[in-house]
Amino acid sequence: MSIHIVALGNEGDAFHQDNRPSGLIRTYLGRSPLVSGDESSLLLNATGTVARPVFTEYQASAFGNVKLVVHDCPVWDIFDSDWYTSRNLIGGADIIVIKYNVNDKFSFHEVKDNYIPVIKRALNSVPVIIAAVGTRQNEELPCTCPLCTSDRGSCVSTTEGIQLAKELGATYLELHSLDDFYIGKYFGGVLEYFMIQALNQKTSEKMKKRKMSSSFHGIRPPQLEQPEKMPVLKAEASHYNSDLNNLLFCCQCVDVVFYNPDLRKVVEAHKIVLCAVSHVFMLLFNVKSPADIQDSSIIRTTQDLFAINRDTAFPGASQESSGNPPLRVVVKDALFCSCLADILRFIYSGAFQWEELEEDIRKKLKDSGDVSNVIEKVKCILKTPGKINCLRNCKTYQARKPLWFYNTSLKFFLNKPMLADVVFEIQGTTVPAHRAILVARCEVMAAMFNGNYMEAKSVLIPVYGISKETFLSFLEYLYTDSCCPAGIFQAMCLLICAEMYQVSRLQHICELFIITQLQSMPSRELASMNLDIVDLLKKAKFHHSDCLSTWLLHFIATNYLIFSQKPEFQDLSVEERSFVEKHRWPSNMYLKQLAEYRKYIHSRKCRCLVM
């Protein structure tokens, strides 16, 4: 492998020709540790070469075994005398070096006006180095007399050199002398960098040619195409907040009624929702005792605001149902009671829209002091026991609190008998629950508890065809809007339960969980797992999980070599089998080409050249 360098221009001083040192190129070749050969041998090579009279040719070895050929042309008249040779040499150059003396403006203009236009026409992504050699004379003289001015005008400025380099996209160097520093480290470092780049490019091109030449001999290895993209499963948006917010307006499963001090009905509500956000209501409805709360401010707020009325002589008590009538709560504070409907709407919507609550209260209470008093009582209701009231700054609380926090507080009542008004009997065990949450979150249960069904009047409701663990996971989703199945099998059982009760978002969550689990399995685990993927596909189809069934068919086709070896693969229907064969990866065509290529490789007689 060889590197061709073309050097153009004269770096000698026109006014001191007798005392000028050796040329730039010959000095570098004689002193560089990476170039083998001394100055005498280089000089013999230069003088002994007559094949190209236009250029002085230097030959040496660089980097051990790389042939370095340098063609140097210092005079334009010689360069222009043999245009064919000059053009071919520039066209075949790996690196071009342009050099001039900073004290010889004639050499600079010769480079700029003659060499540069030729190089621009022939330049093809070849690196160019512009070397300005020498120290400028009279550069630091402050004198402005005509003699000094004329001397200064004969020098080539740095700006002119940089401008010339910009025109070519070249690297500009200033070499004040041809000593070891400027030649070996400065000029030599840049030149050797471009030499290495040229070697890398030639090696890359050589490898490409070798690959192309080898591809024409014999059979090329087959190209494995990419598998088809799997269907994208879109998740359904949560409607958890709207479900519980609508519970306040539908008036279903009401178990508490608030009255004003005059014993007139104000608004109906649900104990489970109120207790999920406030320890005041927990204390009022005996979910917790004062000893459990241990906060005097919460106890005082409960006693000052509310009173439970169990008097049989209460107005309207005779019309109440004999089964389990709603609890009657009298609101002692008249101002607070007048805003209670807005306060409950604020609580049911997630207790975070403080500005809207304050605006609604201002519409009813004109006095700003009354408005502040009611707002402070709402903050006391939402206060956490044992902590300083953190709701003083409503805007800070609104930004810091999540959009809905029943999903954590309602979990406190999951599978607990507190405030429970329905009990499910599953596999010989009982699971307590709350009708209000079930009705708000599940349309099937809303119809079951409010229609002409046996479950509407019964407290104990049997559940068949579902395990206790699956049903508890189902209730966990209804209470918290989230679930985390233990594995693919439990996720499929939960999906069946969600389809039974028509909770579509839970179905999508289970589908996404199954898909994520299968996608994360490596091929070795897929081959050894005991899960029947075809049975999973049939269950997904039977329970109308179209997204999952479509994805599973693509998954089987993409992992055809694994699942086609399993016995359950034969249980696919004719239509499913046809789909899998059509979309299988790798394809039959690729496997045939691979077999032919392997046969060709094994049929070649490879003999060791050494032995």
Side-chain angles (χ1 to χ4, degrees):
M1 191 174 295
S2 61
I3 297 177
H4 296 268
I5 301 175
V6 174
L8 304 172
N10 184 11
E11 71 276 27
D13 190 346
F15 299 102
H16 303 85
Q17 289 290 336
D18 297 334
N19 299 325
R20 69 180 182 91
S22 300
L24 171 64
I25 298 299
R26 190 167 61 183
T27 304
Y28 166 74
L29 295 176
R31 296 185 183 182
S32 175
L34 297 178
V35 179
S36 59
D38 54 18
E39 291 193 16
S40 59
S41 62
L42 291 172
L43 183 59
L44 289 175
N45 287 333
T47 57
T49 303
V50 294
R52 304 186 189 275
V54 177
F55 289 85
T56 301
E57 180 180 307
Y58 301 94
Q59 293 185 6
S61 296
F63 307 110
N65 58 349
V66 177
K67 184 180 180 181
L68 184 62
V69 180
V70 183
H71 296 93
D72 189 6
C73 181
V75 182
W76 166 255
D77 293 336
I78 301 177
F79 181 89
D80 194 36
S81 63
D82 190 349
W83 173 242
Y84 179 78
T85 303
S86 303
R87 185 185 60 181
N88 288 343
L89 282 175
I90 291 180
D94 298 315
I95 303 170
I96 296 176
V97 178
I98 298 174
K99 45 195 173 60
Y100 62 87
N101 194 290
V102 295
N103 295 308
D104 186 2
K105 221 160 191 182
F106 175 78
S107 69
F108 173 77
H109 283 293
E110 186 176 70
V111 166
K112 182 179 179 181
D113 299 335
N114 297 329
Y115 288 115
I116 296 302
V118 175
I119 293 172
K120 281 184 177 180
R121 289 193 295 268
L123 197 61
N124 184 20
S125 67
V126 176
V128 179
I129 301 173
I130 295 180
V133 181
T135 304
R136 292 178 180 86
Q137 298 176 359
N138 302 326
E139 187 178 29
E140 298 180 358
L141 287 177
C143 180
T144 57
C145 66
L147 180 60
C148 295
T149 305
S150 63
D151 287 343
R152 195 173 300 143
S154 64
C155 297
V156 182
S157 66
T158 303
T159 306
E160 291 176 297
I162 293 175
Q163 184 62 36
L164 183 64
K166 286 182 178 179
E167 292 181 15
L168 287 177
T171 302
Y172 177 74
L173 304 177
E174 283 199 357
L175 310 177
H176 298 304
S177 64
L178 301 183
D179 57 12
D180 290 336
F181 172 76
Y182 284 104
I183 293 295
K185 295 183 179 180
Y186 195 23
F187 174 76
V190 176
L191 183 63
E192 287 156 11
Y193 169 78
F194 287 128
M195 288 166 63
I196 293 172
Q197 295 295 317
L199 286 174
N200 291 337
Q201 184 177 356
K202 289 189 173 185
T203 303
S204 177
E205 292 175 355
K206 188 176 181 180
M207 292 298 295
K208 288 180 181 179
K209 290 180 180 179
R210 185 176 297 176
K211 287 182 180 179
M212 290 182 63
S213 62
S214 63
S215 64
F216 292 107
H217 301 285
I219 302 176
R220 295 182 62 182
Q223 298 295 321
L224 180 61
E225 69 280 3
Q226 292 295 323
E228 291 187 10
K229 290 185 177 180
M230 304 294 284
V232 178
L233 182 65
K234 296 182 179 179
E236 183 180 340
S238 172
H239 39 79
Y240 184 76
N241 53 351
S242 60
D243 287 345
L244 293 181
N245 195 21
N246 292 335
L247 186 63
L248 180 65
F249 302 101
C250 69
C251 299
Q252 293 180 339
C253 304
V254 171
D255 54 4
V256 60
V257 181
F258 290 93
Y259 294 85
N260 64 10
D262 298 331
L263 303 183
R264 284 185 296 179
K265 183 177 177 181
V266 178
V267 67
E268 298 174 330
H270 308 83
K271 295 178 184 178
I272 179 67
V273 177
L274 299 177
C275 290
V277 297
S278 172
H279 285 79
V280 169
F281 290 112
M282 282 189 178
L283 187 62
L284 180 65
F285 301 138
N286 295 321
V287 175
K288 287 187 177 182
S289 65
D292 296 329
I293 294 179
Q294 295 182 350
D295 192 314
S296 58
S297 63
I298 292 179
I299 298 173
R300 186 170 56 254
T301 301
T302 307
Q303 295 171 349
D304 293 345
L305 284 180
F306 306 107
I308 295 177
N309 188 302
R310 292 187 173 88
D311 190 358
T312 55
F314 191 86
S318 57
Q319 284 81 19
E320 292 177 350
S321 60
S322 58
N324 192 13
L327 183 67
R328 297 187 295 268
V329 177
V330 178
V331 183
K332 297 179 182 180
D333 190 315
L335 293 177
F336 186 86
C337 185
S338 65
C339 304
L340 185 60
D342 297 319
I343 294 170
L344 289 183
R345 186 165 59 250
F346 164 74
I347 290 176
Y348 273 70
S349 64
F352 76 101
Q353 299 173 344
W354 287 95
E355 293 180 355
E356 293 183 14
L357 174 64
E358 189 171 352
E359 184 180 349
D360 292 338
I361 294 175
R362 287 185 187 279
K363 292 178 181 179
K364 295 185 176 180
L365 305 178
K366 304 302 180 183
D367 188 281
S368 59
D370 294 339
V371 174
S372 300
N373 186 25
V374 172
I375 291 291
E376 286 300 321
K377 289 177 180 178
V378 176
K379 294 177 183 178
C380 291
I381 289 176
L382 300 177
K383 180 179 182 292
T384 303
K387 294 184 178 180
I388 300 175
N389 196 346
C390 60
L391 306 180
R392 293 180 180 177
N393 189 339
C394 297
K395 292 184 178 180
T396 303
Y397 177 80
Q398 179 175 342
R400 178 170 48 83
K401 205 70 175 175
L403 181 64
W404 191 267
F405 56 89
Y406 292 139
N407 54 357
T408 56
S409 52
L410 278 178
K411 194 172 184 178
F412 175 75
F413 298 94
L414 178 62
N415 197 22
K416 300 286 180 61
M418 297 175 296
L419 303 177
D421 52 4
V422 63
V423 178
F424 293 98
E425 185 180 14
I426 309 171
Q427 295 180 335
T429 60
T430 57
V431 176
H434 307 81
R435 291 176 186 258
I437 303 301
L438 303 180
V439 167
R441 298 281 287 140
C442 178
E443 294 181 0
V444 171
M445 288 194 174
M448 183 175 68
F449 288 130
N450 294 287
N452 296 322
Y453 299 100
M454 178 186 67
E455 291 84 356
K457 301 178 181 179
S458 176
V459 176
L460 186 65
I461 301 175
V463 177
Y464 303 103
I466 302 174
S467 67
K468 180 183 177 181
E469 290 76 14
T470 302
F471 193 74
L472 281 175
S473 297
F474 174 70
L475 290 181
E476 181 184 4
Y477 170 78
L478 297 183
Y479 277 68
T480 66
D481 200 43
S482 63
C483 66
C484 186
I488 294 178
F489 178 76
Q490 186 182 359
M492 194 66 208
C493 294
L494 187 57
L495 184 147
I496 295 172
C497 180
E499 191 267 340
M500 182 187 304
Y501 288 101
Q502 296 298 300
V503 183
S504 59
R505 184 170 181 270
L506 180 57
Q507 277 187 275
H508 288 304
I509 291 176
C510 294
E511 289 174 344
L512 189 59
F513 178 86
I514 293 172
I515 289 173
T516 304
Q517 290 292 309
L518 289 174
Q519 278 184 327
S520 62
M521 288 185 182
S523 300
R524 184 176 299 176
E525 188 174 351
L526 283 176
S528 61
M529 71 174 182
N530 295 323
L531 181 65
D532 190 340
I533 199 76
V534 177
D535 181 61
L536 205 65
L537 169 65
K538 292 189 178 299
K539 286 181 179 179
K541 281 192 171 183
F542 183 79
H543 293 283
H544 309 289
S545 183
D546 297 332
C547 294
L548 180 60
S549 60
T550 303
W551 188 91
L552 287 173
L553 272 176
H554 279 274
F555 186 69
I556 294 172
T558 304
N559 297 274
Y560 183 88
L561 296 180
I562 295 175
F563 292 116
S564 62
Q565 304 300 318
K566 296 195 173 188
E568 61 266 19
F569 186 78
Q570 306 302 323
D571 297 334
L572 290 171
S573 64
V574 176
E575 182 182 357
E576 294 166 349
R577 187 72 172 267
S578 175
F579 179 90
V580 171
E581 293 291 345
K582 181 180 178 180
H583 298 86
R584 59 174 289 179
W585 186 85
S587 63
N588 267 327
M589 179 65 68
Y590 171 79
L591 294 178
K592 289 180 180 178
Q593 292 175 352
L594 182 62
E596 292 177 1
Y597 180 73
R598 285 177 174 173
K599 183 178 179 182
Y600 167 75
I601 292 298
H602 290 298
S603 64
R604 296 180 64 184
K605 296 181 180 179
C606 300
R607 298 179 180 178
C608 179
L609 298 178
V610 178
M611 301 300 293

